Amino acid sequence: MAPGEKIKAKIKKNLPVTGPQAPTIKELMRWYCLNTNTHGCRRIVVSRSRGRLRRLLWVLFTLTAVALIFWQCALLISSFYTVSVSIKVHFQKLDFPAVTICNINPYKYSAVRDLLADLEQETRTALKNLYGFPENKSRKRREAESWTSAWEGTRPKFLKLVPLLAFSQDETSKARDFLTGRKRKVSGSIIHKASDVMHVHESKEVVGFQLCSNDTSKCAVYTFSSGVNAIQEWYKLHYMNIMAQVPLEKKINMSYSAEELLVTCFFDGMSCDARNFTLFHHPMYGNCYTFNNRENETILSTSMGGSEYGLQVILYINEEEYNPFLVSSTGAKVIVHRQDEYPFIEDIGTEIETAMATSIGMHLTESFKLSEPYSQCTEDGSDVPISNIYNAAYSLQICLHSCFQTKMVEKCGCAQYSQPLPPAANYCNYQQHPNWMYCYYQLHQAFVREELGCQSVCREACSFKEWTLTTSLAQWPSEVSEKWLLPVLTWDQGQQIKKKLNKTDLAKLLIFYKDLNQRSIMESPANSIEMLLSNFGGQLGLWMSCSVVCVIEIIEVFFIDSFSIIARRQWHKAKEWWARRHAPPGPQGQDNLGLDIDDDLPTFTSALRLPPAPGTEVPGTPPPRYNTLRLERAFSDQLTDTQMPAES
């Protein structure tokens, strides 16, 4: 390198370095505060000369502004996935929903009485032993079908595996058997099925039954505060055991036909009949019939609101064919639902009274929710790890029932009777699964306590329709009109009913839109990326007058340049350590600082930095000799008047 270049490099090396190449982070921060466009940082450095108090105030102001920016931006990010709800009301011609109607009594008692004869006999015996009821003869029924000759294969039987027991509160280890009247020992935990919230009355004796596992090592005693509830629950268990063994075709024949259930029908001012209804068999309600079930790929609609433009039917209830122990009320159940939706008649059905006209006015509400990440709803249930065992569109109820039925098959080896069958499964009965009832009760308690995981897996559907129902009742037929109305209906239904009708056998149902206003509830994103960036910019500009470029500068200085300074210092330390470690042993000439010779040419600054030679004195400058200071002739020839006289 040329001498001049070496001098320039040396001078450049000794000059103070600022900016991204500053030797320390402190110098880098000072340079940033003096050169940034962000307000507040510059005032921290400039106000240094004006006192510590002012500088401290500006530090507090700047840190507060930065904290507010972070807080506001965190709120903006956390509220990004929020929705805004809008409600729209449309006035238009509406599609009429599907309407499913079921008789509360599932099967004609005359058809199933022979199957349930043993169960009925033990029930009456228990009532006699518990309450002292006399052996009343049952009402006259129609002649039952001869099941002995018509039944193929093993006939369903009633097995006395779960007898009714009376428990005393003073002595819970023993119970009295209603059938034999003797006391027997019972073991296991006692589960009281009464309400934990409301304590109605205290009773010295409660009624229940004992259920045990397959190996009878685990048992549970279920007691009820009322004998009515205990007998109905006990009867229902045995009833499901028996009916689970009956083929579907036979159960359809034992229930009510559409011609028997539907006496008259009108829709939108036009006459209709049983051909407009579709059979739907429910395990607990027998034959149900659905109107407007998209059987012909067309959905009926209504052009006007009001009872005259809805569905009007008269139902034949036939109380004489009711099972006295299975159901304790008379009437029918109706549910309004979508065409592709499963009718959960046992959960949300509306009961219809006999000898009454039930008017149900509807309002349609359609809801649309946003899926992930705004909510946990599902579009069609395909992303829910539960197999849909219903032949219907996904819903939260379908998912919960499907999950429980699947767990039932896994844990107990059979399916519960009131729900559809999963693939390759059979309904539970105590001929093939003697102790399934204990497993069912234990599993149901785990389901209620949310221990099966069904409630955490199943999700709500994102879109659904809901009909808000308003029910009103009126006595029907009136006393003055029944004199002609009942004979006419008896004559109309003479081929099907073959008996004189009375008002307690009939029920009138009217279902209609109160108006044609459809309410739509829709969710939409409350924020967008553009709005989020705009809010970020507003917060930065409000608190620190900062822009996106300033943010990039902050990232560059506080992260990239700071890291470079730290890495550079660590690199120099590592080089020095490496040089000291590999230096040759023994004193060297270079170890003497006085002999440190620089290869560059000396400069005035470097000369001043040289240490004085030991033991020597720097000679001073001697004073000048004044007699040598003479004026030299500036001109060889001078004028005569300026010449000096010669010395003598």
Side-chain angles (χ1 to χ4, degrees), residues 153-196:
T154 304
R155 181 182 176 183
K157 296 180 180 180
F158 168 72
L159 300 180
K160 302 176 182 180
L161 297 178
V162 185
L164 273 172
L165 305 174
F167 299 87
S168 176
Q169 291 185 353
D170 300 331
E171 188 179 9
T172 58
S173 61
K174 293 183 180 180
R176 180 168 57 89
D177 192 335
F178 285 154
L179 184 61
T180 62
R182 299 177 181 177
K183 287 189 176 182
R184 52 184 293 185
K185 292 183 178 181
V186 293
S187 61
S189 59
I190 297 180
I191 302 174
H192 193 56
K193 304 289 285 187
S195 174
D196 296 331

Side-chain angles (χ1 to χ4, degrees), residues 469-482:
L469 307 181
T470 303
T471 304
S472 59
L473 300 175
Q475 185 179 355
W476 180 90
S478 61
E479 294 183 359
V480 294
S481 62
E482 67 175 307

Side-chain angles (χ1 to χ4, degrees), residues 628-640:
T628 60
L629 299 177
R630 294 181 179 178
L631 293 175
E632 296 290 340
R633 282 185 154 184
F635 302 98
S636 58
D637 296 330
Q638 291 185 346
L639 298 176
T640 57

Side-chain angles (χ1 to χ4, degrees), residues 490-502:
T490 303
W491 183 84
D492 290 340
Q493 297 297 112
Q495 298 297 327
Q496 297 293 335
I497 300 175
K498 297 180 182 180
K499 76 165 191 175
K500 184 179 179 180
L501 297 177
N502 56 69

Side-chain angles (χ1 to χ4, degrees), residues 317-423:
I317 303 303
N318 194 8
E319 184 183 2
E320 190 178 287
E321 288 285 359
Y322 268 48
N323 189 327
F325 301 109
L326 184 64
V327 291
S328 56
S329 58
T330 60
K333 266 196 170 185
V334 61
I335 182 174
V336 177
H337 57 94
R338 294 185 310 179
Q339 279 73 18
D340 58 349
E341 186 179 4
Y342 184 85
F344 286 96
I345 194 75
E346 71 277 18
D347 294 337
I348 54 177
T350 302
E351 292 190 354
I352 303 171
E353 298 183 31
T354 57
M356 301 290 287
T358 305
S359 299
I360 300 178
M362 301 183 297
H363 272 297
L364 175 60
T365 301
E366 197 168 8
S367 301
F368 300 93
K369 299 184 66 176
L370 294 176
S371 58
E372 292 183 347
Y374 296 95
S375 67
Q376 298 296 323
C377 69
T378 177
E379 295 289 345
D380 54 1
S382 59
D383 52 347
V384 177
I386 299 296
S387 178
N388 187 351
I389 62 176
Y390 293 79
N391 187 22
Y394 176 87
S395 67
L396 180 60
Q397 278 184 302
I398 282 180
C399 181
L400 292 175
H401 286 293
S402 298
C403 179
F404 178 80
Q405 190 76 304
T406 303
K407 298 290 184 182
M408 182 78 183
V409 175
E410 293 177 1
K411 303 288 185 180
C412 306
C414 56
Q416 203 262 345
Y417 176 69
S418 63
Q419 304 299 332
L421 274 175

Side-chain angles (χ1 to χ4, degrees), residues 344-581:
F344 286 96
I345 194 75
E346 71 277 18
D347 294 337
I348 54 177
T350 302
E351 292 190 354
I352 303 171
E353 298 183 31
T354 57
M356 301 290 287
T358 305
S359 299
I360 300 178
M362 301 183 297
H363 272 297
L364 175 60
T365 301
E366 197 168 8
S367 301
F368 300 93
K369 299 184 66 176
L370 294 176
S371 58
E372 292 183 347
Y374 296 95
S375 67
Q376 298 296 323
C377 69
T378 177
E379 295 289 345
D380 54 1
S382 59
D383 52 347
V384 177
I386 299 296
S387 178
N388 187 351
I389 62 176
Y390 293 79
N391 187 22
Y394 176 87
S395 67
L396 180 60
Q397 278 184 302
I398 282 180
C399 181
L400 292 175
H401 286 293
S402 298
C403 179
F404 178 80
Q405 190 76 304
T406 303
K407 298 290 184 182
M408 182 78 183
V409 175
E410 293 177 1
K411 303 288 185 180
C412 306
C414 56
Q416 203 262 345
Y417 176 69
S418 63
Q419 304 299 332
L421 274 175
N426 297 318
Y427 282 128
C428 295
N429 64 83
Y430 45 35
Q431 286 188 348
Q432 298 178 356
H433 311 88
N435 302 103
W436 72 268
M437 289 179 286
Y438 174 81
C439 180
Y440 165 72
Y441 270 89
Q442 295 295 319
L443 198 67
H444 186 266
Q445 287 186 355
F447 177 80
V448 173
R449 293 193 297 263
E450 300 184 4
E451 296 176 356
L452 299 182
C454 296
Q455 288 83 353
S456 60
V457 172
C458 293
R459 295 184 288 173
E460 189 179 4
C462 292
S463 61
F464 54 90
K465 290 183 179 181
E466 183 180 12
W467 284 269
T468 304
L469 307 181
T470 303
T471 304
S472 59
L473 300 175
Q475 185 179 355
W476 180 90
S478 61
E479 294 183 359
V480 294
S481 62
E482 67 175 307
K483 297 179 181 180
W484 69 267
L485 193 146
L486 293 179
V488 172
L489 291 177
T490 303
W491 183 84
D492 290 340
Q493 297 297 112
Q495 298 297 327
Q496 297 293 335
I497 300 175
K498 297 180 182 180
K499 76 165 191 175
K500 184 179 179 180
L501 297 177
N502 56 69
K503 62 183 344 181
T504 59
D505 289 331
L506 300 175
K508 187 176 182 180
L509 173 65
L510 298 91
I511 301 180
F512 54 91
Y513 279 113
K514 299 179 70 175
D515 50 50
L516 298 184
N517 292 334
Q518 175 185 350
R519 186 174 62 173
S520 299
I521 302 176
M522 305 181 66
E523 290 184 351
S524 58
N527 299 299
S528 61
I529 297 296
E530 295 80 5
M531 187 178 297
L532 181 65
L533 294 177
S534 176
N535 291 333
F536 281 168
Q539 295 298 326
L540 292 173
L542 174 64
W543 299 107
M544 293 193 69
S545 184
C546 186
S547 63
V548 177
V549 177
C550 296
V551 174
I552 297 175
E553 289 180 356
I554 293 173
I555 295 175
E556 180 185 15
V557 172
F558 283 82
F559 294 96
I560 300 177
D561 294 341
S562 298
F563 178 76
S564 300
I565 291 174
I566 296 173
R568 188 163 59 244
R569 294 181 62 181
Q570 296 297 326
W571 173 251
H572 287 312
K573 289 181 180 180
K575 285 178 63 177
E576 293 177 0
W577 174 82
W578 184 264
R580 288 194 304 268
R581 184 174 181 180

